[in-house]
Amino acid sequence: MIVSMAVVGPANSPLFIHTISPEEDPLNFHYIIHCALDVLDERLNTKSKTPGGNDPNLGLIYPTEDYRVYGYVTNTKVKFFIIVDEIETKMSDIREIFRRFHLAYVDAVSNPFHLQGHALASKSFEARVRSLAAIRL
């Protein structure tokens, strides 16, 4: 089950962090995402040196004791994270959720009133993220 979803900007500033479970501490997910950013940056630096490394889906990037963090990065260096609490998760399901998550993000930032680089405050984006998080993996 998805427990958190996040969007981080090109300068590694959080643009959107959504925690699904109200009993979980949101700061814990902020910490996990920042730790995952270090791993993701390291992977991006090594990936750029290898030919054919154009897949935006980076797969499992940061396993913890309780959660697994999956990452996705766009050509504009916007990073998406999905945190799940299940050990066995199909990569095809994660890829589909990332694809939909990215499309929702593109729709939200295409709003002419959205300021680029600022936090996403779109209610429709948050509703789409909530519906994605409700998908059973």
Side-chain angles (χ1 to χ4, degrees), residues 16-105:
F16 179 83
I17 297 179
H18 181 69
T19 304
I20 310 308
S21 177
E23 61 268 359
E24 294 285 343
D25 183 15
L27 286 177
N28 184 34
F29 294 114
H30 280 262
Y31 172 74
I32 291 171
I33 288 167
H34 280 286
C35 290
L37 272 171
D38 293 337
V39 176
L40 187 124
D41 285 339
E42 183 179 322
R43 238 191 233 182
L44 288 177
N45 289 336
T46 58
K47 196 174 191 181
S48 64
K49 296 175 186 170
T50 58
N54 292 335
D55 187 18
N57 185 12
L58 299 174
L60 178 65
I61 57 168
Y62 188 67
T64 66
E65 197 171 301
D66 299 322
Y67 305 110
R68 293 173 129 10
V69 181
Y70 293 89
Y72 180 98
V73 65
T74 67
N75 291 338
T76 57
K77 303 294 185 227
V78 174
K79 299 148 193 98
F80 296 88
F81 295 97
I82 295 175
I83 302 175
V84 298
D85 62 357
E86 298 171 354
I87 293 176
E88 296 298 324
T89 307
K90 291 185 202 172
M91 261 330 283
S92 60
D93 293 342
I94 294 292
R95 285 180 189 272
E96 180 61 24
I97 290 172
F98 272 132
R99 188 186 69 75
R100 291 182 186 179
F101 194 16
H102 188 186
L103 288 174
Y105 170 78

